[in-house]
C-alpha cells in the first residue's frame, strides 16, 4: 500500500512538472489549456490520491503494529493483561517501616517509596514527629502514621 502511494505521488509530481513546462513555453492562454487539462490537473489529482493512500497505509501499518505488540505482551505474560494490571495495582509499592522526608516537602514516606528512594536529601523522620511537623502521609506508599501506632487519648 505504501509503495503504491509513493508511486502515485511521484507520477502526479512528474505530470505537474510536465504541465508546468508545457504551459511555460506557450504565450497564449488558449495554447496553455491542453497542458493544464492533460498534465497539471490529473497530476494534482494523483498527488491528492497518493496523499490519501499514504495516510491510509500508515494508519493500517500502525494498527497492525499495535496488534502485534499486544499479542506479544499477552504471550509474554501468559495471562489476560487486565488481570495482570489488577495484580500490579494490589501489590504494595513500598513495605519499609523506616520513615523519610525531603527537606521542604509536605509528605512523609516509607524509605523504599519510589518518590524518595535514592534521593540523597531524604532524611530519617521520627514516627511520632510527622504530625507535629505539619507533614502528611504519602498517598503512594501509605506510611504508618502516629494515629495508627498510638491509641486515641480520652
Amino acid at each position: 500500500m505504501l509503495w503504491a502511494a509513493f508511486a502515485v505521488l511521484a507520477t502526479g509530481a512528474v505530470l505537474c512538472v510536465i504541465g508546468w513546462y508545457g504551459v511555460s513555453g506557450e504565450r497564449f492562454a488558449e495554447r496553455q489549456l491542453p497542458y493544464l487539462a492533460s498534465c497539471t490537473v490529473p497530476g494534482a489529482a494523483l498527488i491528492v490520491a497518493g496523499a490519501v493512500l499514504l495516510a491510509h497505509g500508515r494508519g493500517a501499518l500502525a494498527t497492525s503494529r499495535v496488534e502485534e505488540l499486544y499479542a506479544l505482551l499477552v504471550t509474554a505474560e501468559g495471562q489476560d493483561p487486565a488481570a495482570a494490571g489488577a495484580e500490579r495495582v494490589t501489590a504494595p509499592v513500598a513495605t519499609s517501616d523506616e520513615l523519610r522526608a525531603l527537606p521542604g516537602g509536605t509528605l512523609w514516606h516509607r524509605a523504599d517509596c519510589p518518590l524518595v528512594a535514592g534521593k540523597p536529601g531524604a532524611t530519617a523522620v521520627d514516627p511520632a514527629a510527622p504530625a507535629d511537623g505539619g507533614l502528611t502521609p504519602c498517598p503512594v506508599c501509605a506510611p504508618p502514621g502516629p494515629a495508627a501506632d498510638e491509641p486515641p487519648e480520652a
Side-chain angles (χ1 to χ4, degrees), residues 19-135:
W20 171 80
Y21 183 74
V23 167
S24 68
E26 297 295 335
R27 181 175 175 182
F28 300 107
E30 59 271 358
R31 296 183 118 192
Q32 295 173 354
L33 286 176
Y35 291 106
L36 289 174
S38 65
C39 290
T40 307
V41 172
L46 284 174
I47 288 174
V48 170
V52 169
L53 284 173
L54 187 63
H56 176 69
R58 287 188 180 216
L61 181 64
T63 301
S64 68
R65 286 182 179 172
V66 167
E67 289 173 359
E68 181 181 344
L69 287 173
Y70 178 77
L72 288 172
L73 284 172
V74 171
T75 303
E77 292 188 7
Q79 58 186 355
D80 181 30
E87 288 176 9
R88 282 189 211 111
V89 170
T90 57
V93 174
T95 56
S96 173
D97 290 331
E98 184 181 348
L99 300 179
R100 301 236 181 228
L102 292 172
T106 59
L107 302 173
W108 81 81
H109 309 266
R110 294 180 186 264
D112 55 349
C113 177
L115 299 177
V116 295
K119 293 192 177 176
T123 58
V125 175
D126 181 30
D132 298 335
L135 297 175

